[in-house]
Amino acid sequence: MSTSAAMQPVAEPATGTAAPRQARRITGFMPLIALVALVAALTIADPDFLTTRSLTAVLRTAAPLIVLAAGATLVVLCGGIDLSIAALASLTTVLLALWLPELGGLATPMVILVAAAIGAVQGAAHVLLRIPSFVVTLGGMSILSAVALVVSGAGTVRVVDDSTVKWLELYVAGYVPMSAAMAIVVVAVIALLLKVTPLQSWISATGYSESAARLAGTPVDLVKIGVFCVSGACAGFAAVMLVSRQYSGGPTMADNLLLPAVAAIVVGGTAITGGHGSVWRSLAGALVVTLLRVGLPIVGVPSAYEQILYGVVIVVAVALTLDYSKISIIK
């Protein structure tokens, strides 16, 4: 088996490929079109929205969501899903708040490594036990939420000395929040690694057709464990951002980011069936979702309708990006 064969994405079925390709060209621009339309609509609804203060607040709010969505996008590209990212981020905020007094500056890399290890364990369970990623991460979400409650004593853990994480609250060039800049760096690093290594081909091949990818020599099992590990690490870093902003850790602090993260991925044009999408699109999707969260109160929509909106957005976005050529029966 040649190396080049292992690095090439598995070809899509020859039948009916013109329509899916045309649909992908359209959905590829969907996040940018939605982003521009939302900014225009919010500016019309509130002329003060397009100010440095408002845009800075949007970027600070979007930063943890961007990081969460970037890591989880890799799992979706492989044809799986990670429902535990929010619960893992919540647990990590608790661990960081508890470890900061003892470890100081070492607490941040330690909690990210722990989160990455937890992600890798879930990936290994998915691969070795042949359990669907949905089930593994759903169970993981429940376990991690319970552990966070136990470790925190079912309460908020205050951070007395935040000197080692408050750098994320600084500003680049006086305008761009450091957290937003770091979120973009995370996305850029992931995108660069995918481009300069065989990972992008391996992930795409796994998402298009896992059986064909195995025949082509793609290390499918290692790829799957790796993307879950990266997803866990991103959840850990998102937790660091939350702690730097809230000055505390909590067992449910990031729980409300799960649906927005999934929405960001599908709004960004990543096919839930795997094989098609990118972390850059998820970044745009995260900005769209954040603008929706910020824009609802501006246009007078009660926040209680936020979850309804996310549900509608997810269903519509999945319908637009789903690769029906890979699914003969919808269950």
Side-chain angles (χ1 to χ4, degrees), residues 133-182:
S133 59
F134 176 88
V135 176
V136 170
T137 57
L138 183 63
M141 177 176 66
S142 178
I143 293 170
L144 294 171
S145 296
V147 171
L149 285 170
V150 172
V151 173
S152 66
T156 301
V157 181
R158 298 292 178 185
V159 174
V160 179
D161 182 10
D162 65 335
S163 58
T164 58
V165 294
K166 69 178 181 180
W167 61 275
L168 283 167
E169 291 301 295
L170 301 177
Y171 289 85
V172 178
Y175 296 101
V176 181
M178 181 64 74
S179 57
M182 291 305 300

Side-chain angles (χ1 to χ4, degrees), residues 252-320:
T252 60
M253 181 173 287
D255 288 4
N256 63 342
L257 292 180
L258 177 58
L259 272 181
V262 174
I265 293 170
V266 294
V267 167
T270 296
I272 202 72
T273 46
H276 174 67
S278 75
V279 290
W280 288 113
R281 292 184 181 183
S282 293
L283 185 153
L287 291 175
V288 169
V289 170
T290 303
L291 284 174
L292 285 174
R293 297 175 71 184
V294 172
L296 287 177
I298 291 178
V299 297
V301 178
S303 59
Y305 292 93
E306 188 173 313
Q307 300 300 318
I308 297 176
L309 180 63
Y310 287 148
V312 172
V313 166
I314 289 173
V315 171
V316 172
V318 167
L320 291 174

Side-chain angles (χ1 to χ4, degrees), residues 63-75 82-96 107-120 122 137 140-141 144 168 182-183 186-187 190 226-244 250 253-255 257-258 261 265:
L65 182 59
I66 291 172
V67 176
L68 272 180
T73 297
L74 300 183
V75 179
D82 190 351
L83 298 177
S84 67
I85 49 175
L88 179 54
S90 294
L91 172 60
T92 308
T93 65
V94 174
L95 295 178
L96 181 59
T108 295
M110 282 296 295
V111 294
I112 294 175
L113 286 174
V114 169
I118 293 173
Q122 292 189 110
T137 57
M141 177 176 66
L144 294 171
L168 283 167
M182 291 305 300
V186 168
V187 172
I190 293 175
V227 296
F228 273 99
C229 181
V230 173
S231 181
C234 287
F237 189 48
V240 176
M241 291 180 173
L242 292 172
V243 171
S244 70
M253 181 173 287
D255 288 4
L257 292 180
L258 177 58
I265 293 170

Side-chain angles (χ1 to χ4, degrees), residues 3 14 19 27 69 72 87 100 124 187 205 208 211 225 235 244 248 254 272 297 303 323:
T3 304
T27 56
L100 274 174
V187 172
Y208 277 127
S211 57
I225 294 174
S244 70
S248 63
I272 202 72
S303 59
D323 187 355

